Amino acid sequence: MVVRSDNRSAHVKVLRSLGPEGRTLPLQGHVGFDSLPDQLVNKCVNLGFDMNILCVGETGIGKSTLMDCLFKANFDDTVHSHKSPGVEISEHIYNLKEGNVKLRLAIVDSVGYGDQINKENSFKPLVDFIDEQFENYLQEELKIKRDLVTFHDSRVHVCLYFLVPTGHSIRSLDLVTMKALDKKCNIIPIIAKSDTVSKSELDTFKANIMEELRDNDVEIYTFPTDDETVAEVNKDMNEMMPFAVVGSREDVKVGETTVRGREYPWGVVEIENEQHCDFVKLREMLIRTNMEDLREVTHRKHYELYRRGKLKQMGITDDGAHPVSLQETYEQKRAEHLEELQRIENEMRQNFVNKVREKDLELKRNEKELAAKYEGLRKENNEEKKRLDEERKKLDDDLAALKKKREDLERANAEHANGQNTKSKKK
């Protein structure tokens, strides 16, 4: 207490020496936390961004051409044939830079989609690919030493589904595939090569597509309307879905200007003319306005749904009322695993004992059969031997009788001969 009193009195003396108002310290600059967004932006810009686009559509429908037009680049344009035996996934990664913003763009193409006669499981490679990317991200999260900041996020952020411009209704293959993908990624339906149908047919086709999607409970991506700055334009764009687009890598001249478009005998279709197609609207919504929302929805909705299901398979549950203890879950799963191993071991041991018992019974049964067969053969042999002995004795008797008869005959012949000799001498 004495020390505290001395310190306080000394502090008061210093303040009195500085004057009635004390010493004024001028601020060297603005002090506050409103610079946090700038810090976050700078950090994100330095790290760069990932954007992964899955293009689903038939071969030759214009997927690669549209990607070139969207990002004003010349990406890999590998020509694929229509003779693929199954659906394959082709992924290409490009490092783009616009201003000081770096973007790692992954374009995933569905090679051979819709080219087979049997299209029953055409969507399965797509689903497997998306789940594989989710699994890679989940495994990185579950690591003891993880680095999600620099980890390459390969999850599919948006699926551009290219619809064939039939002008009437959506095909069954498209409905089945989009239904299989709607809980796994953000689907944006696109009517490709829309310049092949008339304006009236295109409006009817759009209405039929949206009606069939609603009737079949296919959930497509809707642009967010919670942000006031883009709420109105996003609402208008949601009503224009699906986008009818035209892609082209050719530059054609319209008057004195050169535009990107397609030239026909009757005129030129400009891909950046909103009166001709919805390409500009798609580019604005996909890249300029809602790219970050696509990434956020992928992480917050689709990946979260996959993560929950995967953790439930691992035995980690959370009812919300009781906190989940990973140690208890691990011990429980370990005990269940050991119990399962013990059950399998006991089952295998019991199966082994049963097989040995069955084999032993089979051997004894075979031994009895062999013993009975041997006894039967022995009796047959004895009987055959007895029969042969009897026949031999009979033959010996017959031989003795024959020999005696021969001797008698020889003796009779000898006597007859002697008698003849005697008669001849008397004469």
Side-chain angles (χ1 to χ4, degrees):
M1 296 296 294
V2 176
V3 175
R4 184 178 297 177
S5 177
D6 293 342
N7 290 340
R8 182 177 180 183
S9 61
H11 183 60
V12 171
K13 290 180 181 180
V14 171
L15 290 177
R16 288 177 179 175
S17 65
L18 294 176
E21 296 181 356
R23 185 175 60 181
T24 302
L25 296 177
L27 296 177
Q28 299 299 322
H30 177 69
V31 177
F33 51 83
D34 57 353
S35 63
L36 281 176
D38 298 331
Q39 299 175 31
L40 180 61
V41 169
N42 293 333
K43 183 177 180 180
C44 293
V45 169
N46 292 331
L47 292 175
F49 300 89
D50 292 321
M51 187 63 184
N52 308 311
I53 302 176
L54 172 62
C55 300
V56 181
E58 295 183 358
T59 304
I61 202 170
K63 302 186 292 295
S64 300
T65 303
L66 184 64
M67 290 297 102
D68 291 351
C69 297
L70 283 174
F71 294 93
K72 294 184 178 180
N74 293 320
F75 298 129
D76 179 56
D77 186 21
T78 303
V79 179
H80 302 286
S81 67
H82 293 266
K83 300 179 181 180
S84 177
V87 180
E88 300 177 358
I89 301 299
S90 175
E91 181 180 13
H92 298 277
I93 299 177
Y94 307 96
N95 293 314
L96 307 180
K97 188 173 183 180
E98 187 174 278
N100 62 339
V101 178
K102 295 176 292 185
L103 178 67
R104 181 161 49 183
L105 176 67
I107 299 178
V108 185
D109 189 9
S110 57
V111 180
Y113 176 79
D115 294 340
Q116 296 75 34
I117 297 177
N118 184 5
K119 304 178 178 63
E120 183 178 0
N121 295 320
S122 296
F123 63 88
K124 191 176 186 304
L126 307 175
V127 174
D128 293 341
F129 176 80
I130 296 174
D131 287 343
E132 182 181 355
Q133 311 316 310
F134 283 156
E135 183 65 23
N136 294 338
Y137 195 88
L138 178 61
Q139 292 301 322
E140 181 67 22
E141 277 191 334
L142 296 178
K143 287 182 179 178
I144 296 177
K145 293 183 179 181
R146 59 181 184 174
D147 189 7
L148 294 176
V149 177
T150 59
F151 178 74
H152 172 49
D153 184 8
S154 60
R155 296 172 296 178
V156 175
H157 298 124
V158 60
C159 170
L160 298 181
Y161 198 96
F162 291 72
L163 298 171
V164 179
T166 61
H168 300 286
S169 61
I170 192 171
R171 300 178 305 172
S172 300
L173 173 63
D174 300 327
L175 283 174
V176 171
T177 302
M178 282 195 281
K179 185 60 180 178
L181 297 177
D182 64 350
K183 296 297 188 296
K184 296 182 178 295
C185 63
N186 303 310
I187 300 177
I188 298 180
I190 295 173
I191 302 175
K193 297 183 177 181
S194 61
D195 54 335
T196 59
V197 293
S198 64
K199 178 69 174 176
S200 59
E201 289 178 337
L202 190 60
D203 294 339
T204 304
F205 190 31
K206 282 187 176 185
N208 292 340
I209 289 174
M210 297 306 296
E211 182 180 359
E212 292 187 24
L213 292 178
R214 285 190 296 267
D215 292 342
N216 291 275
D217 296 327
V218 177
E219 182 179 353
I220 63 175
Y221 174 75
T222 56
F223 303 113
T225 57
D226 51 352
D227 187 354
E228 295 181 356
T229 58
V230 294
E232 185 175 353
V233 63
N234 279 351
K235 182 179 179 181
D236 294 338
M237 292 299 104
N238 286 330
E239 296 177 355
M240 295 192 63
M241 296 273 279
F243 294 114
V245 299
V246 178
S248 175
R249 295 190 178 97
E250 300 177 359
D251 293 329
V252 296
K253 293 201 69 174
V254 179
E256 299 296 328
T257 60
T258 301
V259 297
R260 185 72 67 91
R262 303 180 68 88
E263 188 173 6
Y264 295 97
W266 45 263
V268 175
V269 175
E270 304 175 27
I271 66 173
E272 294 186 352
N273 188 333
E274 297 188 30
Q275 299 296 326
H276 294 177
C277 67
D278 299 331
F279 171 78
V280 175
K281 298 182 179 64
L282 173 64
R283 186 176 60 188
E284 291 291 319
M285 293 296 99
L286 180 63
I287 299 177
R288 184 176 180 180
T289 307
N290 299 295
M291 179 178 285
E292 180 57 29
D293 185 72
L294 289 167
R295 289 157 40 87
E296 180 184 352
V297 172
T298 299
H299 180 77
R300 175 174 47 84
K301 179 181 178 181
H302 301 296
Y303 169 71
E304 185 65 19
L305 183 63
Y306 176 85
R307 188 185 71 89
R308 289 180 186 176
K310 202 67 176 180
L311 292 180
K312 285 183 179 180
Q313 292 180 6
M314 298 168 60
I316 302 176
T317 58
D318 186 7
D319 56 3
H322 303 86
V324 178
S325 174
L326 294 180
Q327 180 65 25
E328 293 179 359
T329 302
Y330 169 76
E331 293 296 338
Q332 180 181 357
K333 295 298 291 183
R334 183 174 182 273
E336 292 177 358
H337 180 65
L338 293 177
E339 183 180 353
E340 180 67 15
L341 289 179
Q342 186 64 35
R343 185 189 65 79
I344 295 175
E345 183 180 355
N346 294 337
E347 184 177 350
M348 293 178 65
R349 184 181 291 109
Q350 185 63 34
N351 291 337
F352 177 75
V353 171
N354 293 337
K355 288 184 178 181
V356 170
R357 184 182 294 111
E358 292 176 0
K359 197 68 177 177
D360 186 45
L361 293 175
E362 183 180 356
L363 290 175
K364 289 181 178 180
R365 183 170 61 253
N366 293 338
E367 184 179 358
K368 289 182 178 180
E369 291 178 358
L370 289 174
K373 188 176 181 180
Y374 170 76
E375 185 66 23
L377 292 174
R378 190 180 65 82
K379 288 181 178 181
E380 291 180 1
N381 185 39
N382 291 336
E383 292 176 357
E384 184 69 17
K385 184 179 179 182
K386 184 178 179 181
R387 185 182 64 81
L388 291 175
D389 289 342
E390 292 177 353
E391 289 183 357
R392 182 179 181 181
K393 183 178 180 182
K394 182 179 179 181
L395 289 174
D396 289 343
D397 293 343
D398 293 343
L399 183 61
L402 182 62
K403 185 177 181 180
K404 183 179 180 182
K405 188 176 180 179
R406 182 181 180 183
E407 290 176 352
D408 293 341
L409 182 61
E410 289 179 353
R411 188 167 50 252
N413 290 335
E415 290 177 353
H416 178 72
N418 290 333
Q420 292 292 334
N421 292 332
T422 302
K423 287 180 178 180
S424 63
K425 285 179 179 180
K426 287 181 178 181
K427 290 178 177 183

